[in-house]
Protein backbone atom coordinates (compact mmCIF):
# COMPACT_ATOMS: atom_id res chain seq x y z
CA UNK A 1 0.00 0.00 0.00
CA UNK A 2 1.30 3.45 -0.85
CA UNK A 3 0.19 6.96 0.07
CA UNK A 4 -1.64 7.12 -3.26
CA UNK A 5 -3.87 4.23 -2.09
CA UNK A 6 -5.10 6.11 0.98
CA UNK A 7 -7.98 8.54 0.62
CA UNK A 8 -8.34 11.85 2.44
CA UNK A 9 -10.90 10.39 4.86
CA UNK A 10 -8.56 7.51 5.78
CA UNK A 11 -5.69 9.94 6.34
CA UNK A 12 -7.91 12.03 8.64
CA UNK A 13 -8.95 8.89 10.58
CA UNK A 14 -5.35 7.69 10.94
CA UNK A 15 -4.10 11.09 12.08
CA UNK A 16 -7.01 11.40 14.52
CA UNK A 17 -6.29 7.95 15.91
CA UNK A 18 -2.67 8.72 16.76
CA UNK A 19 -3.06 12.39 17.71
CA UNK A 20 -1.83 12.52 21.30
CA UNK A 21 -2.88 16.15 21.59
CA UNK A 22 -6.60 15.48 21.01
CA UNK A 23 -8.65 16.23 24.14
CA UNK A 24 -10.81 13.60 25.85
CA UNK A 25 -14.59 13.85 25.39
CA UNK A 26 -15.47 17.20 26.96
CA UNK A 27 -18.95 16.52 28.35
CA UNK A 28 -19.52 12.78 28.74
CA UNK A 29 -18.97 11.15 32.16
CA UNK A 30 -17.14 7.82 31.83
CA UNK A 31 -15.43 5.33 34.10
CA UNK A 32 -11.68 5.86 33.85
CA UNK A 33 -9.48 2.75 33.67
CA UNK A 34 -5.89 3.59 34.66
CA UNK A 35 -3.48 0.97 33.35
CA UNK A 36 -0.42 0.32 35.50
CA UNK A 37 2.61 2.52 34.92
CA UNK A 38 5.19 4.32 37.00
CA UNK A 39 4.06 7.60 35.43
CA UNK A 40 1.67 9.88 37.29
CA UNK A 41 0.02 11.49 34.28
CA UNK A 42 -2.95 9.05 34.34
CA UNK A 43 -3.71 10.27 37.86
CA UNK A 44 -3.62 13.90 36.74
CA UNK A 45 -6.07 13.17 33.92
CA UNK A 46 -8.47 11.14 36.08
CA UNK A 47 -8.40 13.59 39.01
CA UNK A 48 -9.01 16.58 36.75
CA UNK A 49 -11.90 14.84 35.03
CA UNK A 50 -13.33 13.70 38.38
CA UNK A 51 -13.44 17.31 39.58
CA UNK A 52 -15.09 18.29 36.28
CA UNK A 53 -17.80 15.70 36.98
CA UNK A 54 -16.57 13.48 34.14
CA UNK A 55 -15.01 10.53 36.01
CA UNK A 56 -17.54 9.21 38.55
CA UNK A 57 -15.70 5.86 38.77
CA UNK A 58 -11.93 5.32 38.52
CA UNK A 59 -10.38 1.88 38.11
CA UNK A 60 -6.72 1.80 39.17
CA UNK A 61 -4.97 -1.35 37.99
CA UNK A 62 -1.38 -2.45 38.44
CA UNK A 63 0.68 -4.78 40.56
CA UNK A 64 4.33 -4.49 41.56
CA UNK A 65 6.30 -2.39 39.08
CA UNK A 66 9.30 -4.44 37.96
CA UNK A 67 11.57 -1.36 37.92
CA UNK A 68 10.57 0.40 41.14
CA UNK A 69 8.98 -2.28 43.32
CA UNK A 70 6.00 0.01 43.96
CA UNK A 71 2.46 -1.39 43.67
CA UNK A 72 1.11 0.82 40.90
CA UNK A 73 -2.58 0.63 41.86
CA UNK A 74 -1.77 1.67 45.45
CA UNK A 75 0.32 4.57 44.17
CA UNK A 76 -2.56 5.64 41.91
CA UNK A 77 -5.04 5.46 44.82
CA UNK A 78 -2.81 7.51 47.14
CA UNK A 79 -2.19 10.15 44.46
CA UNK A 80 -5.87 10.35 43.54
CA UNK A 81 -6.91 10.77 47.17
CA UNK A 82 -4.20 13.41 47.55
CA UNK A 83 -5.83 15.29 44.68
CA UNK A 84 -9.23 15.28 46.34
CA UNK A 85 -10.78 12.19 44.74
CA UNK A 86 -12.79 10.28 47.37
CA UNK A 87 -11.79 6.68 48.06
CA UNK A 88 -15.39 5.59 47.39
CA UNK A 89 -14.94 6.45 43.69
CA UNK A 90 -11.73 4.41 43.28
CA UNK A 91 -11.63 0.68 42.50
CA UNK A 92 -8.20 -0.82 43.06
CA UNK A 93 -6.77 -3.96 41.39
CA UNK A 94 -3.25 -4.57 42.70
CA UNK A 95 -2.17 -8.00 41.40
CA UNK A 96 -1.74 -7.50 37.63
CA UNK A 97 1.72 -8.04 36.20
CA UNK A 98 0.84 -7.28 32.56
CA UNK A 99 -1.78 -5.65 30.37
CA UNK A 100 -3.92 -8.78 29.97
CA UNK A 101 -4.01 -9.21 33.73
CA UNK A 102 -4.95 -5.53 34.18
CA UNK A 103 -8.10 -6.28 32.18
CA UNK A 104 -8.70 -9.78 33.56
CA UNK A 105 -8.31 -8.84 37.21
CA UNK A 106 -10.33 -5.61 36.81
CA UNK A 107 -13.16 -7.24 34.89
CA UNK A 108 -15.61 -6.95 37.80
CA UNK A 109 -14.98 -3.19 37.98
CA UNK A 110 -15.41 -2.77 34.22
CA UNK A 111 -18.69 -4.69 34.50
CA UNK A 112 -19.74 -2.41 37.38
CA UNK A 113 -19.16 0.59 35.12
CA UNK A 114 -21.04 -0.89 32.18
CA UNK A 115 -23.95 -2.01 34.37
CA UNK A 116 -24.26 1.51 35.74
CA UNK A 117 -24.50 2.88 32.20
CA UNK A 118 -20.98 4.30 31.94
CA UNK A 119 -18.67 3.92 29.00
CA UNK A 120 -15.04 3.24 29.86
CA UNK A 121 -12.14 5.58 29.18
CA UNK A 122 -8.82 3.72 29.01
CA UNK A 123 -6.02 5.96 30.29
CA UNK A 124 -2.75 4.63 28.96
CA UNK A 125 0.57 5.59 27.47
CA UNK A 126 0.06 6.78 23.87
CA UNK A 127 2.31 4.01 22.53
CA UNK A 128 0.57 1.31 24.57
CA UNK A 129 -2.29 0.47 22.19
CA UNK A 130 -2.49 -3.12 23.43
CA UNK A 131 -4.58 -1.77 26.33
CA UNK A 132 -7.37 -1.17 23.81
CA UNK A 133 -7.00 -4.55 22.17
CA UNK A 134 -7.04 -6.33 25.54
CA UNK A 135 -10.21 -4.50 26.61
CA UNK A 136 -11.96 -5.15 23.29
CA UNK A 137 -11.00 -8.83 23.35
CA UNK A 138 -11.65 -9.63 27.02
CA UNK A 139 -14.82 -7.52 27.37
CA UNK A 140 -16.59 -7.68 23.98
CA UNK A 141 -19.64 -5.77 25.26
CA UNK A 142 -17.44 -2.76 26.05
CA UNK A 143 -17.17 -1.64 22.40
CA UNK A 144 -17.22 1.19 21.60
CA UNK A 145 -15.21 2.54 24.47
CA UNK A 146 -13.22 5.69 24.92
CA UNK A 147 -9.48 6.01 25.19
CA UNK A 148 -7.34 8.75 26.64
CA UNK A 149 -3.84 7.87 25.53
CA UNK A 150 -2.32 10.32 27.99
CA UNK A 151 -3.82 13.19 26.10
CA UNK A 152 -5.53 11.58 23.11
CA UNK A 153 -9.29 11.39 23.43
CA UNK A 154 -10.20 8.65 21.01
CA UNK A 155 -13.06 6.28 20.35
CA UNK A 156 -12.20 2.63 20.51
CA UNK A 157 -12.73 0.03 17.77
CA UNK A 158 -15.43 1.10 15.34
CA UNK A 159 -15.58 4.60 16.75
CA UNK A 160 -14.25 7.93 15.63
CA UNK A 161 -11.69 10.32 16.99
CA UNK A 162 -12.47 13.51 18.91
Amino acid sequence: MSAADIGAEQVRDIVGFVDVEAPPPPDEPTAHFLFGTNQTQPVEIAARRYHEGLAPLIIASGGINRHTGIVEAHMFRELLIGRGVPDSVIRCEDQAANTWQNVEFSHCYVQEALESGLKVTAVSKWFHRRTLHCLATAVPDIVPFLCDLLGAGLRGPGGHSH
Side-chain angles (χ1 to χ4, degrees):
M1 177 180 272
S2 70
D5 297 325
I6 300 174
E9 187 172 318
Q10 286 177 300
V11 169
R12 188 172 46 256
D13 288 345
I14 292 167
V15 170
F17 190 72
V18 298
D19 180 7
V20 298
E21 298 300 322
D27 57 0
E28 181 177 4
T30 63
H32 283 48
F33 191 138
L34 281 57
F35 281 81
T37 179
N38 60 4
Q39 299 175 10
T40 60
Q41 197 172 6
V43 169
E44 303 301 331
I45 291 167
R48 183 187 76 243
R49 293 192 38 95
Y50 169 80
H51 290 295
E52 293 171 352
L54 299 172
L57 176 67
I58 300 171
I59 302 165
S61 179
I64 298 172
N65 182 287
R66 66 183 179 271
H67 302 293
T68 65
I70 293 171
V71 178
E72 294 166 338
H74 295 176
M75 177 192 70
F76 284 160
R77 172 181 263 149
E78 290 174 20
L79 293 171
L80 285 163
I81 291 170
R83 285 159 179 76
V85 176
D87 191 50
S88 62
V89 170
I90 304 165
R91 306 296 181 269
C92 201
E93 179 290 303
D94 61 4
Q95 299 299 307
N98 59 52
T99 306
W100 281 106
Q101 288 180 353
N102 288 132
V103 175
E104 178 184 1
F105 299 164
S106 298
H107 191 268
C108 62
Y109 303 133
V110 172
Q111 284 305 124
E112 176 187 351
L114 295 175
E115 289 170 8
S116 67
L118 293 170
K119 292 182 181 176
V120 174
T121 299
V123 183
S124 178
K125 295 174 258 192
W126 71 268
F127 55 85
H128 199 197
R129 287 270 326 283
R130 69 177 168 250
T131 58
L132 307 181
H133 298 290
C134 291
L135 274 170
T137 301
V139 191
D141 53 335
I142 199 170
V143 178
F145 57 92
L146 305 171
C147 174
D148 191 346
L149 298 172
L150 296 187
L154 306 172
R155 291 274 175 193
H160 61 280
S161 64
H162 287 272

